[in-house]
Amino acid sequence: MIEFWVIFTGLLVGITCGIAGVFLILRKMSMIADAISHTVLFGIVMAFIVTQTLNGFWMLIGAAIAGILTAYLVQLLHSSGIQEDAAIGVVFTSLFAAGVLLITLFASNVHLDVEHVLMGEIAFVPWDKWTLLSITMPKAVWMLLLVLLINIGFLVLFFKEMKLATFDAVYAASIGVPIIFLHYGFMTSISFTTVAAFDSVGAILVVAMLIGPAATANLISKSIKQMFLYSMLFGGAAAIIGYYLAKFWDTSIAGMMATAVGILFVVTLLAQKIVDRKRKSLVGKLEGL
Amino acid sequence: MLSGNLLWVLLGTMLLGIAAGITGTFSFLQKQSLVGDAAAHAALPGIAIAFLLTGQKDLPILILGAAITSALSVYCIQWIVSFSKMKADAAIGLVLTVFFGVGVVFLTIVNHSPLGNQSGLNDFIFGKAATMTKVDLTWLFISATIIILVSLLFYKEWKLLIFDPVYAKGIGLPVEALKAVLTILIVLTIVTGIQSVGVILMSALLIIPAVSARLWTTKLSSMIVLSATIGGISGLVGTFISSLRTGLSTGPIIVLVAASIFFISYLISPAGQINKFLRKKQFRKQGEVG
């Protein structure tokens, strides 16, 4: 049963991140997600300092605020003439440093150690349980299910608008699509995803799950819907492959999942190149006939 | 209060800040700030693998390992961007997290293995300048000096490379080799700094001083001097503050000092917000008069 919960949690992380990652890749916001994954630490610590509890709900709120703050500050610096990559670099390293410092100053005696937040420990997930509606499941599973629902809800409600805002922002704005609302709404869902996953795969490695599967799917997809499907498949597969590799070598599960993401990407990229080359040589042959 | 060792640590982190300020300026101007971030994260697997292979916490070997995987990560990013349709930001993010993930894997293997006391390896994530030994410091001094000297040596060539790469190629400069030297120097800066500020925050020392300096000047030479000064002050003041209380990691404080300098620059520098606001106001006034 313990193993089931660990694998199930991993699978949920893979699927949730797989969904969230698609527009991240298409909107070229991967590095803002990376920045947010660092700054949620600041949000979680602030939530702890204000409420003095490690309640998941307040953590979500804190992370959402930190995520929006990150996106807002990057936008602010960028619009006042600072290169975007440098703006991202300044904002997230500063907030991250503040988060690390606040933990050592105010929260070093609680279960909130920095390494846990950054690298996660999925093996501990099954022991921290919540009972809701007389169903008892690990806390991480509840949080992930909630965030998965939020992510799916966001997509169902705004799929058309997101698509338009992603591929033709000017046109979208001109016909009245609320681009700014979509931007910050999306960044909030990325922050939620990061917090829900940090218990299991850690804040930094969640970015591997956010970017990797969607990028891999992008290599072989011909439509956005296909990309969503492949992205979830790659995310889920990376989680399961990562879990068993980690079990085999008795090492970090989160780290192995990120490694599996990398392996899946490289294999897909190479396979795609080989198929491409074969197709080209076949076409060449046919033309020669 | 200023014990002998602390004095050397202060000097060391100051020198590190200067070196990072200089190389960071070049990487900032090449729009490669986040590549440095990826390279810094990618140092982790190198450190862990080097330790697993040799079984010793021998600094030169660990640093060699870090340098190899850092350089490899930069190469991977370039390879992915040129070989697939993936955009640079996604490639950087993917390489960064996958390398860091591999690093965590090997770090866990190290922690499970019976290789004596390895707790020191975890310090590479956040850095512990205060506990650096004489040997560590000697390495820091040598490598920071090399970085500063080589940067000055290649100043002219890099200037041309950044602002007019076509012309640079035209007059027969080995552009690719010059780029490679710059990458090597950035990697060297990162691996020099990870002991004192850690892999995650090292990128801040490359980015923040350069961005702050850019707000004050448009001239490359003064930008480098300013960036080096800001980096040096951050290292010096940050380490000093963290030495006042035990248990405070040095890395975050150095970064926060740098961030404060950035914030001040963002407000009061010639390209800063207050000046912009005043100019706008004056402009409007002129409009009303005319």
Side-chain angles (χ1 to χ4, degrees):
Chain A
M1 199 59 191
I2 288 166
E3 192 171 34
F4 166 79
W5 283 124
V6 173
I7 295 175
F8 187 61
T9 311
L11 202 62
L12 274 179
V13 171
I15 293 172
T16 312
C17 292
I19 292 180
V22 171
F23 275 119
L24 210 56
I25 292 288
L26 294 175
R27 293 166 78 90
K28 303 185 190 70
M29 291 187 350
S30 312
M31 286 319 283
I32 297 191
D34 180 53
I36 288 179
S37 76
H38 287 78
T39 54
V40 289
L41 180 75
F42 179 73
I44 293 171
V45 184
M46 287 308 280
F48 173 77
I49 291 174
V50 173
T51 65
Q52 289 296 318
T53 60
L54 282 175
N55 185 307
F57 174 74
W58 293 114
M59 277 194 202
L60 272 184
I61 302 292
I65 295 173
I68 293 173
L69 184 70
T70 309
Y72 174 75
L73 288 177
V74 168
Q75 197 63 45
L76 182 74
L77 294 188
H78 185 46
S79 63
S80 57
I82 292 168
Q83 262 166 229
E84 189 177 24
D85 63 332
I88 293 174
V90 171
V91 171
F92 91 79
T93 52
S94 313
L95 286 181
F96 180 74
V100 174
L101 193 66
L102 286 175
I103 285 190
T104 49
L105 285 181
F106 298 111
S108 54
N109 49 350
V110 286
H111 150 81
L112 195 71
D113 64 296
V114 184
E115 273 175 47
H116 175 85
V117 177
L118 295 183
M119 281 165 254
E121 193 37 270
I122 199 169
F124 296 157
V125 156
W127 277 276
D128 196 359
K129 285 188 174 160
W130 271 356
T131 305
L132 271 180
L133 310 167
S134 70
I135 305 170
T136 307
M137 288 198 293
K139 188 182 116 191
V141 171
W142 279 114
M143 297 252 289
L144 280 164
L145 280 175
L146 174 72
V147 172
L148 183 62
L149 272 181
I150 295 175
N151 283 356
I152 292 176
F154 185 78
L155 270 186
V156 170
L157 284 174
F158 301 113
F159 184 70
K160 255 202 224 149
E161 287 82 356
M162 277 296 278
K163 219 164 112 174
L164 202 56
T166 302
F167 293 112
D168 196 344
V170 179
Y171 176 66
S174 72
I175 62 167
V177 172
I179 290 192
I180 293 171
F181 166 77
L182 285 179
H183 176 75
Y184 287 109
F186 185 54
M187 288 296 109
T188 310
S189 84
I190 294 291
S191 319
F192 280 165
T193 310
T194 310
V195 174
F198 95 79
D199 243 350
S200 29
V201 292
I204 293 188
L205 297 176
V206 71
V207 184
M209 279 293 200
L210 280 169
I211 302 176
T216 315
N218 192 27
L219 293 174
I220 53 171
S221 312
K222 297 201 166 52
S223 71
I224 283 203
K225 281 188 184 138
Q226 232 179 47
M227 197 171 153
F228 271 105
L229 189 72
Y230 284 138
S231 183
M232 286 191 281
L233 280 176
F234 281 127
I240 291 175
I241 294 171
Y243 174 78
Y244 281 106
L245 286 180
K247 196 178 165 191
F248 184 72
W249 273 303
D250 182 28
T251 181
S252 155
I253 297 171
M256 247 343 177
M257 286 179 176
T259 310
V261 166
I263 295 172
L264 281 178
F265 175 78
V266 172
V267 168
T268 311
L269 182 58
L270 291 179
Q272 186 219 10
K273 288 286 156 183
I274 291 170
V275 170
D276 238 32
R277 193 167 295 166
K278 281 223 169 113
R279 190 182 294 150
K280 259 181 206 152
S281 78
L282 196 66
V283 169
K285 258 186 209 157
L286 287 173
E287 275 172 351
L289 278 175
Chain B
M1 194 169 63
L2 271 179
S3 66
N5 195 52
L6 178 61
L7 198 66
W8 287 112
V9 172
L10 285 174
L11 265 177
T13 44
M14 188 178 82
L15 217 54
L16 170 70
I18 294 173
I22 296 173
T23 47
T25 306
F26 288 110
S27 84
F28 167 78
L29 290 172
Q30 281 209 311
K31 304 197 163 114
Q32 296 218 315
S33 294
L34 292 175
V35 175
D37 184 35
H41 282 75
L44 190 62
I47 292 166
I49 293 172
F51 179 71
L52 269 180
L53 289 180
T54 62
Q56 286 166 341
K57 221 163 25 184
D58 202 5
L59 194 65
I61 293 170
L62 297 187
I63 283 190
L64 183 69
I68 291 174
T69 47
S70 288
L72 191 66
S73 76
V74 178
Y75 176 74
C76 280
I77 293 170
Q78 286 161 355
W79 181 76
I80 289 176
V81 171
S82 61
F83 198 60
S84 77
K85 61 174 180 176
M86 227 163 128
K87 298 287 179 300
D89 72 314
I92 294 171
L94 182 71
V95 168
L96 185 159
T97 49
V98 170
F99 269 77
F100 194 73
V102 174
V104 172
V105 164
F106 280 105
L107 208 58
T108 324
I109 293 177
V110 169
N111 285 336
H112 288 178
S113 70
L115 280 169
N117 175 31
Q118 319 85 353
S119 62
L121 282 192
N122 292 345
D123 285 345
F124 280 110
I125 294 178
F126 294 113
K128 276 259 154 62
T131 55
M132 282 169 82
T133 62
K134 274 265 156 64
V135 186
D136 300 341
L137 282 167
T138 315
W139 275 97
L140 180 59
F141 279 112
I142 294 173
S143 128
T145 315
I146 291 175
I147 294 164
I148 296 167
L149 289 180
V150 174
S151 305
L152 295 178
L153 194 69
F154 282 100
Y155 170 74
K156 254 192 186 156
E157 283 79 6
W158 282 344
K159 189 176 172 180
L160 203 56
L161 182 75
I162 287 166
F163 295 111
D164 201 342
V166 180
Y167 179 68
K169 212 167 206 167
I171 61 167
L173 281 180
V175 170
E176 289 309 313
L178 282 172
K179 268 190 195 161
V181 175
L182 182 54
T183 306
I184 291 170
L185 224 55
I186 291 170
V187 168
L188 185 62
T189 315
I190 290 165
V191 295
T192 306
I194 46 183
Q195 257 230 321
S196 30
V197 294
V199 293
I200 298 182
L201 291 169
M202 189 51 222
S203 45
L205 264 190
L206 282 170
I207 300 172
I208 302 179
V211 180
S212 315
R214 179 67 187 81
L215 290 166
W216 291 95
T217 175
T218 50
K219 215 174 149 229
L220 181 65
S221 53
S222 32
M223 190 178 160
I224 288 178
V225 172
L226 253 176
S227 175
T229 313
I230 295 170
I233 292 175
S234 307
L236 185 73
V237 177
T239 311
F240 181 72
I241 295 175
S242 78
S243 73
L244 295 178
R245 218 179 111 172
T246 45
L248 286 184
S249 309
T250 324
I253 299 181
I254 292 180
V255 174
L256 286 176
V257 173
S260 321
I261 298 177
F262 167 79
F263 184 65
I264 295 168
S265 310
Y266 181 72
L267 290 180
I268 67 166
S269 70
Q273 293 308 296
I274 294 177
N275 248 317
K276 247 184 204 165
F277 177 75
L278 291 178
R279 264 203 308 273
K280 231 185 239 166
K281 213 169 152 188
Q282 204 180 22
F283 193 65
R284 216 168 283 152
K285 226 185 215 167
Q286 278 173 352
E288 277 163 18
V289 171

